[in-house]
């Protein structure tokens, strides 16, 4: 969603502001009319809270500032921890496969699997070559922390909005921050009932801020049956800058263990510290987070 995100929204987590709800109503002041967008987001979050497993197949198409067209398709599998008899919850398991194609034919593929032991990632890229690396639990925890401090989700371990909010509630809430969303009259999408939301960019936003959408308007669709966000389209004038489409969404699906692991294909898994370019990037990100963090808080592995 950000200008710096090429393929997917690496997605920000938002907290609901309760200050106005806590303030007493002025005597005789009429109650504010219900906010349909807030109601939609609330319904999405309620549905997300009860999900134990989900598999999402999605695709994106975007145009970079240079005019280069980038497309992607991916599969996300999330298995949330279940409550044990001891009262503890098993950690969430995550598996993703993302294939990216740049205009001109260059392609890359990244597969990751995350468990309580850390992350295994297999990457095939014409620029950096083939990689098969492991991030141990300490590095994973550091990256998760750095992602929260820097509000980023573009490195392994950093929280993805589709994991914490698989139906897309966080994305809708974030778009509402930047666009004047309103309910559109269209009642359906491809024969499925739901709500279209559309709106222009809010006035006064810094057009040079790389963390804000460059688009001047947006359209998105939330399906009524399961409160799932199925499509987002960002526009600049008549040019479609980015489109995200969920082709298939399976809720409560059985996810066998084999489907949540990376196929090493006989390769040897290296520790990420043994890959200089990648480890240097991670160290730079962690140092940036430490510099930005308040009260001198350092990465979890140093505490």
């Amino acid at each position: 969603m950000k200008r710096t995100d090429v393929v997917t929204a690496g997605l920000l987590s938002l907290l609901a502001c309760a200050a106005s709800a806590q303030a007493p109503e002025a005597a005789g002041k009429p109650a504010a009319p219900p906010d349909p967008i807030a109601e939609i987001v609330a319904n999405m979050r309620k549905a997300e809270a009860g999900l134990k497993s989900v598999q999402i197949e999605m695709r994106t198409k975007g145009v970079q500032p240079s005019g280069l067209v980038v497309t992607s398709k991916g599969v996300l599998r999330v298995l949330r921890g279940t409550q044990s008899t001891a009262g503890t919850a098993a950690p969430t398991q995550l598996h993703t496969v993302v294939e990216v194609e740049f205009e001109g034919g260059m392609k890359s593929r990244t597969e990751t699997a995350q468990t309580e032991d850390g992350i295994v990632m297999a990457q095939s890229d014409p620029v950096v070559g083939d990689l098969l690396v492991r991030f141990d639990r300490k590095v994973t925890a550091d990256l998760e922390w750095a992602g929260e401090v820097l509000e980023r989700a573009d490195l392994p371990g950093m929280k993805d909005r589709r994991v914490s909010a698989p139906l897309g509630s966080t994305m809708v809430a974030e778009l509402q921050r930047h666009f004047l969303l309103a309910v559109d009259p269209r009642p359906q999408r491809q024969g499925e009932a739901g709500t279209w939301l559309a709106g222009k960019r809010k006035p006064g936003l810094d057009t040079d801020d790389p963390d804000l959408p460059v688009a001047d308007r947006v359209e998105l669709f939330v399906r009524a049956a399961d409160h799932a966000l199925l499509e987002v389209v960002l526009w600049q004038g008549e040019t479609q800058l980015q489109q995200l489409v969920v082709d298939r969404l399976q809720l409560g699906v059985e996810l066998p263990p084999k489907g949540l692991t990376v196929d090493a294909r006989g390769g040897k898994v290296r520790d990420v510290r043994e890959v200089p370019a990648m480890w240097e990037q991670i160290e730079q990100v962690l140092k940036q987070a430490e510099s930005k963090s308040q009260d001198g808080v350092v990465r979890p592995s140093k505490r």
Side-chain angles (χ1 to χ4, degrees), residues 55-68:
Q55 178 167 302
I56 306 171
E57 298 176 26
M58 66 182 79
R59 55 188 164 89
T60 69
K61 181 178 181 180
V63 181
Q64 294 185 337
S66 63
L68 181 69

Side-chain angles (χ1 to χ4, degrees), residues 10 112 114 119 121 135 143-144 146-147 150 152-160 278 281-286:
T112 61
Q114 183 170 347
I119 298 170
M121 182 181 75
F135 303 71
L143 283 170
E144 180 179 350
L150 300 174
R152 289 175 53 171
D154 56 324
L155 289 177
M158 293 181 173
K159 288 185 177 180
D160 189 301
M278 185 172 290
Q281 181 186 16
I282 290 173
E283 277 290 297
Q284 288 177 349
V285 169
L286 296 178

Side-chain angles (χ1 to χ4, degrees), residues 12 34 44 58 62 71 100 108 131 137 142 156 166 176 217 237 243 247 252:
L12 301 176
M44 295 174 77
M58 66 182 79
T71 60
V100 182
S108 68
L131 288 174
R137 64 176 66 189
D142 285 347
Q176 190 181 24
R217 61 187 175 95
Q243 180 187 36
D247 289 317

Side-chain angles (χ1 to χ4, degrees), residues 14-268:
L14 301 178
L15 298 177
C17 177
S20 59
Q22 295 170 353
E25 290 283 343
K29 184 178 179 180
D35 180 357
I37 314 300
E39 184 178 354
I40 289 171
V41 173
N43 288 334
M44 295 174 77
R45 287 175 173 163
K46 182 178 180 181
E48 287 167 339
L51 291 178
K52 298 301 182 184
S53 63
V54 60
Q55 178 167 302
I56 306 171
E57 298 176 26
M58 66 182 79
R59 55 188 164 89
T60 69
K61 181 178 181 180
V63 181
Q64 294 185 337
S66 63
L68 181 69
V69 177
V70 184
T71 60
S72 75
K73 61 180 180 178
V75 179
L76 168 68
R77 300 181 181 93
V78 181
L79 179 62
R80 289 179 170 175
T82 56
Q83 199 75 12
S84 69
T85 55
T88 59
T92 296
Q93 295 184 67
L94 168 68
H95 181 267
T96 63
V97 178
V98 177
E99 297 177 351
V100 182
E101 182 172 357
F102 295 85
E103 190 176 19
M106 188 170 69
K107 300 179 181 180
S108 68
R109 183 183 187 276
T110 303
E111 181 180 3
T112 61
Q114 183 170 347
T115 67
E116 62 179 329
D117 295 324
I119 298 170
V120 174
M121 182 181 75
Q123 187 177 64
S124 178
D125 185 279
V127 177
V128 300
D130 294 337
L131 288 174
L132 182 59
V133 296
R134 182 188 305 278
F135 303 71
D136 63 30
R137 64 176 66 189
K138 289 185 178 180
V139 175
T140 301
D142 285 347
L143 283 170
E144 180 179 350
W145 168 80
E148 293 175 352
V149 173
L150 300 174
E151 297 183 336
R152 289 175 53 171
D154 56 324
L155 289 177
M158 293 181 173
K159 288 185 177 180
D160 189 301
R161 288 176 290 186
R162 275 290 181 176
V163 176
S164 58
L167 298 182
S169 65
T170 304
M171 188 181 293
V172 176
E174 183 184 349
L175 289 170
Q176 190 181 24
R177 291 178 59 204
H178 306 310
F179 296 92
L180 298 169
L181 293 183
V183 175
D184 189 89
R186 291 171 289 176
Q188 61 179 16
R189 173 185 177 272
Q190 298 180 3
E192 293 185 307
T195 303
W196 278 98
L197 302 175
K200 294 182 178 180
R201 183 187 179 95
K202 288 184 176 179
L205 297 180
D206 184 0
T207 56
D208 294 326
D209 188 341
D211 286 341
L212 296 180
V214 70
D216 57 24
R217 61 187 175 95
V218 68
E219 298 176 335
L220 52 146
F221 178 81
V222 178
R223 185 165 56 191
D226 51 13
H227 308 289
L229 177 65
L230 297 187
E231 183 172 359
V232 177
V233 186
L234 292 165
W235 298 87
Q236 181 70 47
E238 298 302 316
T239 301
Q240 180 178 295
L241 294 181
Q242 189 173 33
Q243 180 187 36
L244 182 149
V245 176
V246 174
D247 289 317
R248 191 180 185 192
L249 176 66
Q250 296 174 277
L251 307 177
V253 63
E254 183 178 353
L255 298 175
K258 186 177 181 180
L260 296 169
T261 59
V262 170
D263 183 2
R265 301 178 183 180
K268 181 181 178 181

